[in-house]
Amino acid sequence: MTKKNNFEQAVAGAHRRLDNLLQRASQGDEQLAGEDSPIELLKEAIAEISISLEETQVLGEQLQQQNNELLATRHLVEAERQRYQDLFNFAPEGYLVTDAGGVIQEANYAAAELLSVRQSYLIGKPFFVFVHLSERQKYRQIMEQLKQQGNIRGEELRICHHHGPIDFPSELNALAICHTEGDLGKLRWLFRDISQRKQIEQKLHEQAALLDITTDAIFVKDLHDQILFWNKGAEQIYGWQKQEALGKIAGEILFQETSPQQVKALETVIEHGSWQGELNKIKKNGDEIIIASRWILMLDAAGLPKSILAVDTDITEKKQLEAQLFRSQRLDSLGTLAGGIAHDFNNILTPIMTIAQLLPLKHPDLDESSQQMLKMLQSNAKQGADLVRQILSFTRGSEAKRTIVQPWYLIEDIKQIVKRTFPKSIDIKTDIGANLGNIWGDSTQLHQVFMNLVVNARDALSDGGNLQISVTKLFIDENYTRSHIGAKVGDYVMITVADNGVGISPEIRDKIFDPFFTTKEIGKGTGLGLSTVMGIVKSHGGFVEVSSQVGVGSQFYVYLPSCEESADQVVDEIPILTGQGELILVVDDEAAITQIIKTTLEIHNYKVLNAQNGIEALEAYNQYKDEIKLVLLDMMMPAMSGEITIRTLQIINPQVQIMAMSGLATAEALLQTTGISIQGFLAKPFAVSQLLNSVQEILAPSSEP
């Protein structure tokens, strides 16, 4: 029982006792006797009043204490209410209290600031008016959900206000407060601006998309080499799908075996935080690839190593192109050197060959032994000339007269030669496609290309085997040209010479086209076969590729530009004719060459003037220009080059007949590089018949009677 009840009962008891005394005092005098005399009643009344006052005092004190306690409780409640109000008002997120219809009754400072209005402005406004037009239907669905479920969590809703520049995405949480009767009462709303979070999410989404778009392989592995992340680029490069790679040990699926370079890379990234270099890795299908790899050490919140981020770029194709380019540059350098040697060699061989042919004509009574020695000299000089010609074919493609060549006819001819001369243990097959088109080139040189290739195949089949030559037509597109040096967009005839012989080891594969490089025994090869192949094919606008595996065999692919023109008829050779006393000016800085040409021409009824250089040639021509029918001069001379000499002669006499000589250039190349027009060209070294026929081709019209 409470103190308030005790107080009320005590007062009621005192009233009852006083009423009893009052009744007794109002009775008749006859009843007032003994103890009920007025004096006694008065005493008793005074005693009752005294007791009641004491009880009232005690109870009053208790009531005062209770009031003090109630007042303290009230202050505490007020403080708590103020604390709640402060928390409500100063919370960093927007708080709203609405009625069941969504009309705002309370709003904190954050809500007013987010909506860019005064706090008082919100009171009485429907929350609905601050929802973006495009999402008001969603707001209605949220209200229905609140009525049915009593709360919502993490809903996104776009907030705006038509009176100001307010427009932001918000995350919305709400709670429905119901009356004791179960009716929907107030709604409590919490909303926050998630613009920054959405921007971060968008940025992360874009970064994730970039990780998948990039062609680089990007993956993360822990310090135990277990793969934690694997992007699309890694799928494309290595062939392992994401679900296959995650959780795998990187070293087990990306390396054939642990290499010292791999161990060094791990030590470096742990010590210095990063590493980059090249690694040899394998794909899912077992193919080996070369990777440019960058590793970055990832740290945890405590700054301790956590994982390694790897970014890998497949540079296999780039490395192959670099090797091809390096090989091409090396061949060009060797070609320049070989070309200079060939020029001097031709000047040496020219008089040797010519003298060996002239001596039997000048001395027909020579004994048989001397004639045999001269034939041997002529044969050896010719071999030397062929060797120089191979060098020139390698260096500059030494062009002869180009005609239309039918590839099927060329290969069939090679096949017949192989069948007649190769061991019977070698089985040769040909596969010639249809509609091949033709090749614009020198049939003799192309014949040499494929003879060199089949001879190499024969040597690789020392114990017998299969040799196959196939011909097909293909179109090379721009994408193919990016990864193949020498290739251009267009139609090509591809001739493949394949064998199942010993193969070529990777260590020497890049050297096989170098001049004078050979793996054959001394005396069994010059090392010029494949370099000649490369030079001739290159001069025809084509390129060569090779693939080989030790113990399996080799395949050489020769690509030559295709043309649709029909083959021309073969032109008969011009017979050797003697002169009719025409005067020819011979200009060369090599005295042996001028002398032997002079002797040859004089034997065949020509008159000759010699000059050692361009200046002497101009002097002689000025003196005898009315008599000189032809000027035969070398293109490479000191003091005044052949080009300047020709141009000066043509100024003196535009009708001058000129035949150039060179141990390097061709007539076509001479015309392209110098732009001069000449009537004939003679390549050193030359035979007597070549010299005389070339002279007759120019002088024949003017030598008629």
Side-chain angles (χ1 to χ4, degrees), residues 70 208 213 328 357 379 410 442 453 552 624 641 687 700:
L70 288 174
I213 289 174
S328 177
Q357 292 174 340
S379 176
L410 185 66
D442 179 6
L453 292 179
V552 177
Y624 299 100
S641 69

Side-chain angles (χ1 to χ4, degrees), residues 272-286:
H272 300 288
S274 64
W275 173 86
Q276 64 178 9
E278 293 181 5
L279 295 171
N280 294 320
K281 294 189 177 183
I282 57 171
K283 301 169 68 171
K284 184 180 179 181
N285 61 7

Side-chain angles (χ1 to χ4, degrees), residues 57-247:
Q57 184 177 0
V58 171
L59 292 173
E61 290 176 356
Q62 293 177 348
L63 185 60
Q64 182 64 36
Q65 183 180 356
Q66 185 178 23
N67 287 338
N68 291 339
E69 290 176 356
L70 288 174
L71 184 61
T73 301
R74 179 180 177 184
H75 287 307
L76 183 61
V77 169
E78 182 65 24
E80 288 295 328
R81 190 193 68 79
Q82 187 61 43
R83 189 179 301 112
Y84 162 77
Q85 192 67 33
D86 290 343
L87 290 173
F88 178 78
N89 279 328
F90 296 106
E93 296 171 340
Y95 283 98
L96 297 174
V97 178
T98 69
D99 60 15
V103 176
I104 299 173
Q105 295 178 338
E106 296 182 56
N108 70 342
Y109 294 151
E113 188 172 344
L114 285 171
L115 296 173
S116 193
V117 295
R118 298 187 309 277
Q119 206 170 355
S120 59
Y121 176 85
L122 294 173
I123 308 304
K125 297 289 189 303
F127 188 24
F128 180 81
V129 300
F130 297 101
V131 177
H132 196 276
L133 288 173
S134 63
E135 298 202 346
R136 289 189 176 180
Q137 181 59 37
K138 184 177 182 179
Y139 172 78
R140 296 186 185 95
Q141 294 172 356
I142 291 173
M143 290 292 288
E144 288 298 322
Q145 184 179 343
L146 271 173
K147 292 176 182 179
Q148 295 174 8
Q149 301 179 5
N151 68 82
I152 60 163
R153 290 187 178 276
E155 287 285 350
E156 288 189 14
L157 196 68
R158 193 154 199 88
I159 302 298
C160 69
H161 186 33
H162 65 278
H163 289 315
I166 304 303
D167 186 357
F168 61 88
S170 71
E171 181 187 276
L172 199 64
N173 295 279
L175 179 67
I177 307 298
C178 296
H179 296 304
T180 54
E181 301 84 23
D183 296 334
L184 185 64
K186 294 183 178 182
L187 303 177
R188 300 186 183 276
W189 305 82
L190 181 148
F191 67 100
R192 60 174 65 94
D193 185 352
I194 58 171
S195 300
Q196 187 174 3
R197 189 181 81 185
K198 297 294 284 185
Q199 291 172 357
I200 294 173
E201 289 176 354
Q202 178 65 24
K203 188 174 182 180
L204 291 174
H205 177 74
E206 292 172 355
Q207 290 174 344
L210 286 174
L211 290 179
D212 280 338
I213 289 174
T214 180
T215 56
D216 288 340
I218 301 176
F219 61 94
V220 177
K221 57 183 182 179
D222 63 19
L223 299 183
H224 300 290
D225 209 30
Q226 187 176 32
I227 297 173
L228 307 176
F229 174 78
W230 191 260
N231 79 329
K232 292 285 186 183
E235 291 182 352
Q236 295 170 358
I237 289 179
Y238 294 112
W240 294 94
Q241 297 300 308
K242 182 177 181 180
Q243 60 271 20
E244 296 176 315
L246 292 179

Side-chain angles (χ1 to χ4, degrees), residues 623-642:
Q623 186 175 355
Y624 299 100
K625 64 182 176 181
D626 294 333
E627 301 175 41
I628 294 174
K629 302 301 181 183
L630 175 67
V631 179
L632 178 61
L633 82 164
D634 186 50
M635 294 301 298
M636 295 184 66
M637 295 183 296
M640 181 180 290
S641 69

Side-chain angles (χ1 to χ4, degrees), residues 583-597:
L583 180 61
I584 298 175
L585 175 60
V586 179
V587 188
D588 199 306
D589 62 305
E590 294 287 340
I593 293 178
T594 56
Q595 185 58 46
I596 197 61
I597 292 176

Side-chain angles (χ1 to χ4, degrees), residues 327-539:
R327 183 167 60 247
S328 177
Q329 291 173 341
R330 184 175 58 193
L331 293 178
D332 287 343
S333 299
L334 289 172
T336 302
L337 175 62
I341 296 173
H343 172 263
D344 294 337
F345 219 60
N346 280 332
N347 283 336
I348 295 171
L349 289 174
T350 297
I352 295 176
M353 283 184 62
T354 311
I355 291 172
Q357 292 174 340
L358 286 179
L359 282 177
L361 298 176
K362 194 169 183 180
H363 303 283
D365 55 344
L366 285 174
D367 60 76
E368 186 176 348
S369 175
S370 299
Q371 290 182 4
Q372 289 297 326
M373 285 190 290
L374 287 174
K375 287 181 180 180
M376 187 181 299
L377 179 63
Q378 181 180 345
S379 176
N380 288 337
K382 188 176 184 302
Q383 289 181 12
D386 290 339
L387 184 63
V388 173
R389 193 174 295 110
Q390 288 189 44
I391 296 175
L392 291 177
S393 296
F394 155 68
T395 57
R396 304 232 172 111
S398 189
E399 297 182 5
K401 184 177 180 181
R402 298 291 176 91
T403 60
I404 296 298
V405 180
Q406 296 175 305
W408 68 268
Y409 181 82
L410 185 66
I411 299 306
E412 283 297 331
D413 186 44
I414 296 291
K415 180 181 178 181
Q416 296 305 318
I417 295 174
V418 169
K419 281 186 173 182
R420 290 195 303 267
T421 60
F422 281 20
K424 300 301 181 183
S425 59
I426 297 177
D427 182 23
I428 180 170
K429 295 180 180 179
T430 57
D431 180 12
I432 301 176
N435 301 320
L436 295 175
N438 296 315
I439 302 168
W440 177 255
D442 179 6
S443 60
T444 303
Q445 290 184 347
L446 294 177
H447 192 278
Q448 182 183 3
V449 165
F450 298 109
M451 279 304 301
N452 284 347
L453 292 179
V454 296
V455 167
N456 282 349
R458 178 203 64 187
D459 295 341
L461 297 168
S462 56
D463 297 326
N466 298 321
L467 169 60
Q468 180 164 347
I469 307 174
S470 58
V471 188
T472 186
K473 185 177 180 180
L474 75 161
F475 178 78
I476 289 181
D477 57 20
E478 187 174 353
N479 185 51
Y480 186 89
T481 63
R482 296 192 187 102
S483 57
H484 295 77
I485 292 178
K488 298 179 181 179
V489 176
D491 291 317
Y492 281 77
V493 175
M494 182 181 74
I495 301 97
T496 304
V497 178
D499 66 74
N500 62 344
V502 295
I504 305 169
S505 66
E507 292 77 16
I508 67 172
R509 195 175 301 159
D510 290 339
K511 301 178 182 178
I512 59 175
F513 292 102
D514 291 359
F516 307 111
F517 176 82
T518 180
T519 57
K520 299 177 183 178
E521 298 177 12
I522 296 176
K524 292 188 176 182
T526 62
L528 286 170
L530 288 178
S531 61
T532 301
V533 167
M534 177 69 78
I536 293 175
V537 173
K538 190 175 180 181
S539 73

